[in-house]
Amino acid sequence: MIYYSTINRQNKASLEQAVTKGLAPDGGLYMPEALPLFPKAFLRNISAMTLPELAYAVVSFALKGDVPADVLHDIVFDAFDFDIPLVKTSGGRYVLELFHGPTMAFKDVGTRFMARLLNYYRSCHPEWRDLNVLVPTSGDTGSAVANSFWQMPGVKVYVLFPRGAVGRIQKSQFATLGGNVTAIEVNGSFDDCKSLVEEAFMDTELNDSMRLTSAMSINYARIIPQMVYYFWAYAQLMRQQVDVSNLVFAVPCSNLGNLASGLMAWSMGLPVKRFVSVENQNNIFYNYVMTGEFKPKPTQYSIAPALDAGCPNNFGRIVEILGDHENVCRHIHAYSYDDNQIIDTIMHTYDDEGYLLDPHSAVAYRALNEDLQPGEIGVALATAHPAKLQHMMENIIEEPVPMPDQLTRFMGGELRVKKMSNGFTAFKRLLLSKM
Ligand SMILES: *Cc1c(COP(=O)(O)O)cnc(C)c1O
């Protein structure tokens, strides 16, 4: 398959080039030239498959032979070796729990898939120097990326996080690893961390001396495996003999990567009636849907930190898939909630339905309840485990929220953090000193 840049269609790349670069040289996002359409029979068969089997079927179909079958099989089975349960709440909604991976947030799948695919490309090129993976984070991305690449030979990971803005549990998930993972505390905001990384990608001297890669969701490798979530929800509903003819997905959105994956699954033939995009007060996409204007703003901090994005990276992919604003509005209903509404949803869902939602999942659940019409089946994507923000959750529901072993194992470790100003010179010097 050929991939093109959303800025200029003439700029093309192979999957390997798209994945090892991340962003196209013109600043665009890579998209496949033609998405294949799943045969109808495929949808009838998927309810009998296990999660890794279904994941392999979807991903290999979408990549059309770009990666050798046996290699791809191993990558996918490795990336999907945990459960993704579909839970029905007493309120009659479905929740797809995407948070049972190593760092207990939904980014585990995308980053593990990406890490293993990059590792394969590395193995094809013994002449390559080290890959340097740069990732700005408000918490979840950094931990998922760091854990996915940890101890991978020939790869160095740099996680940049804003001082004072990342919780202790999240921080310990990437800052205690050491080895090939360097955690950098930036004296600045999340937007500063993002700018430092963007500047690094534009810096000729750096790029001439080292191989830099982005592990953000601009990387197509993170978009591909997330399509599986939507097929998996569909397959599970079919298995439970639920009528799937009016299926609605509610997606908590930040950089819009997960939503882009859902739209791709739909455009490849998964019958989805509509998507519901849900943001917190960083409501850039919501405003776009309402007004037709895309206006990035400075990032505001909220109690759903993984949704704090003032300039959603994957916006270009959404428009590319749906064509124009009118069509976006036809297929996506947009919502946005502030912290009080999020807290209210967590409390009420817990009290009335006995189901504990984390702040990110709560926005999706709330929007689903507002948006769903009679006769429709709604699935909210739950993207993080409630214990990841344990302290805040305990304050909200005034009860202990037990911490799973998977999260406590990081807590005992020693934090190894490099402190840095928000100036680019310091960052550049650090990168060059690590070569
Ligand atoms: C990253 C993240 C999101 C948002 O996903 P995007 O693909 O960036 O829109 C939602 N919830 C959690 C917990 C996340 O970590």
Side-chain angles (χ1 to χ4, degrees), residues 142-167:
S143 44
V145 170
N147 280 277
S148 298
F149 284 93
W150 190 46
Q151 294 180 323
M152 199 171 263
V155 179
K156 294 192 181 112
V157 180
Y158 299 87
V159 182
L160 291 85
F161 65 98
R163 194 173 99 183
V166 173

Side-chain angles (χ1 to χ4, degrees), residues 105-107 140-141 217 222 226 252-259 306-307 314 358 360 383-384:
F106 95 101
K107 291 190 179 68
D140 280 335
T141 310
S217 58
R222 284 202 31 203
Q226 292 177 172
C253 292
S254 164
N255 278 310
L256 303 170
N258 203 2
L259 183 65
L307 303 188
N314 280 288
D358 100 298
H360 309 89
T383 47

Side-chain angles (χ1 to χ4, degrees), residues 12 50 57 88 90 92 120 179 226 382 397 422:
K12 308 215 163 143
T50 64
K88 187 173 186 181
S90 63
Y120 161 67
Q226 292 177 172
I397 62 165
N422 62 357

Side-chain angles (χ1 to χ4, degrees), residues 172-242:
S172 65
Q173 283 183 320
F174 58 82
T176 56
L177 296 173
N180 64 336
V181 175
T182 306
I184 304 171
E185 184 182 273
V186 175
N187 191 3
S189 65
F190 172 68
D191 289 338
D192 291 335
C193 298
K194 219 170 149 184
S195 309
L196 286 172
V197 169
E198 282 161 7
E199 218 170 316
F201 285 115
M202 310 294 269
D203 188 280
T204 347
E205 189 191 338
L206 267 185
N207 285 278
D208 285 348
S209 39
M210 57 205 301
R211 188 175 274 273
L212 302 177
T213 307
S214 169
M216 292 186 286
S217 58
I218 51 167
N219 198 308
Y220 188 63
R222 284 202 31 203
I223 303 296
I224 308 161
Q226 292 177 172
M227 282 197 283
V228 174
Y229 300 153
Y230 300 86
F231 284 95
W232 179 241
Y234 181 89
Q236 307 236 77
L237 288 169
M238 288 225 300
R239 197 177 302 167
Q240 296 169 24
Q241 299 183 332
V242 175

